[in-house]
Amino acid sequence: MRYFAVVMTLAVMLAGCATAAPPEPVSFDLTGNWSGSWEGYGVALIKRYDAASAQFTQQGDRGSGKFWLEGTLASESVPVSLRLAGLTGVPVFFYASGNSVVLFHELDERLFKAEFTVTGDRMVGRLVNTELPTRIVLERVRVQIAAPPPPAPVAVVVVPAPPAPAPPPTVAEAAPPTPPPAVVRPPAPQEFSATAALKSVYFDFDRSEIRPSETIVLDANAGWLQTNRDVLLIIEGHCDERGTDAYNLALGERRARAVRDYLVAHGVAADRITTVSHGEERLVCREHNEGCWSQNRRAAFVVKP
């Protein structure tokens, strides 16, 4: 009876070993730079959409790198560890299997964790263990390597014989010494400043959409910028004092970007435009009424040649 039990135990163990599935081989290498976007929710369940990027180094089925989500300061659907990372990014580890990746904070996966599915040069995923859903799409950044230029032709230089030395001039023929050239100093760099040619545009309470009444102002601003193509532009987003500092910074950012997108759609080159949010820091009116608040909900413009 004991012999029978031992035989049965060995049979069960061997059967388990025979049916265990081998680990699925990894079908990709994430090494390199990735860029894309994320979408989620911010304060008061406002939909958020901004840029995302990553840098990875992979060895076998695991790797490490850095991970960024921009514009997350007022997004409650993003873990705090990602919101506070700023432009430095979050250090991460990841494990790969088949066409799947599990990404997590290098200190502890409880700080943040994400799951992705990789298809070629595109990976789509989400943050896990968050109260609100967040979707992330990244694509591999391909580096274009330019071909080396052809070698320059070898020029044959004929050196003429040196001329015979001239006799030294007499005292009467000697020319006066040439004064040293004047030093030309470059002009001082100019700073960004406001111009009367660009008018501010104004927004409804807690909104970042362009009002129909403001399109006339923006069309005139776009025309001036197309005529003066040598200037750089900063669009400043502003809010009234109602709301938290973090929420107003995010709202001012959305207002500035809405104006930027309008100008780009009307022919202004995007590489001339920078956006910044001042939130409620730069009020033009400090009374506590709608007439004053409406003056502070604005996007202003400063330029520099």
Side-chain angles (χ1 to χ4, degrees):
M1 189 66 179
R2 180 179 300 174
Y3 173 78
F4 178 76
V6 172
V7 171
M8 290 300 295
T9 302
L10 291 175
V12 171
M13 294 176 61
L14 292 174
C17 293
T19 58
E24 192 173 355
V26 179
S27 60
F28 52 80
D29 186 348
L30 301 185
T31 300
N33 296 327
W34 296 74
S35 179
S37 61
W38 70 273
E39 56 182 301
Y41 294 88
V43 176
L45 298 181
I46 297 175
K47 189 73 172 179
R48 298 302 311 277
Y49 180 87
D50 217 313
S53 56
Q55 293 178 351
F56 295 134
T57 300
Q58 181 174 335
Q59 294 181 344
D61 63 349
R62 62 194 60 197
S64 60
K66 283 196 172 183
F67 184 69
W68 292 265
L69 294 183
E70 298 183 17
T72 59
L73 187 61
S75 178
E76 296 179 343
S77 61
V78 176
V80 175
S81 61
L82 283 174
R83 280 189 263 170
L84 300 181
L87 297 178
T88 60
V90 172
V92 295
F93 285 131
F94 63 86
Y95 291 102
S97 176
N99 65 339
S100 300
V101 176
V102 177
L103 184 75
F104 53 90
H105 198 292
E106 71 170 9
L107 297 179
D108 193 327
E109 69 175 40
R110 290 173 296 183
L111 294 177
F112 100 87
K113 183 178 179 181
E115 296 176 346
F116 290 91
T117 298
V118 182
T119 305
D121 290 336
R122 178 183 173 90
M123 52 192 299
V124 180
R126 64 185 182 91
L127 297 176
V128 299
N129 301 325
T130 58
E131 296 183 3
L132 299 173
T134 301
R135 184 172 184 266
I136 306 168
V137 179
L138 295 172
E139 295 185 353
R140 189 186 300 273
V141 178
R142 292 294 184 182
V143 179
Q144 300 292 335
I145 302 177
V154 179
V156 179
V157 179
V158 179
V159 180
T170 63
V171 176
E173 295 174 345
T178 303
V183 177
V184 179
R185 300 185 180 275
Q190 298 185 21
E191 300 296 333
F192 281 91
S193 59
T195 173
L198 297 178
K199 307 298 183 182
S200 298
V201 294
Y202 298 89
F203 295 85
D204 292 328
F205 172 67
D206 197 28
R207 308 298 295 178
S208 59
E209 295 82 9
I210 303 297
R211 297 190 301 196
S213 60
E214 299 299 314
T215 58
I216 298 176
V217 176
L218 282 178
D219 290 342
N221 289 351
W224 186 88
L225 289 168
Q226 290 175 347
T227 303
N228 298 269
R229 298 179 182 272
D230 60 337
V231 300
L232 300 177
L233 172 68
I234 294 179
I235 304 173
E236 301 175 332
H238 300 271
C239 306
D240 61 41
E241 72 271 20
R242 294 173 292 177
T244 65
D245 291 345
Y247 183 77
N248 284 336
L249 280 173
L251 179 58
E253 176 187 345
R254 294 198 299 274
R255 287 172 173 170
R257 292 190 177 192
V259 172
R260 177 200 62 186
D261 294 344
Y262 187 97
L263 294 177
V264 171
H266 286 74
V268 182
D271 57 2
R272 296 170 55 194
I273 304 175
T274 302
T275 60
V276 64
S277 173
H278 294 300
E280 59 185 81
E281 296 177 359
R282 300 187 179 182
L283 303 177
V284 295
C285 182
R286 297 186 176 274
E287 297 179 7
H288 302 294
N289 54 61
E290 177 57 29
C292 191
W293 292 330
S294 63
Q295 299 178 49
N296 293 325
R297 301 191 300 263
R298 70 196 191 280
F301 305 88
V302 291
V303 296
K304 180 178 76 169

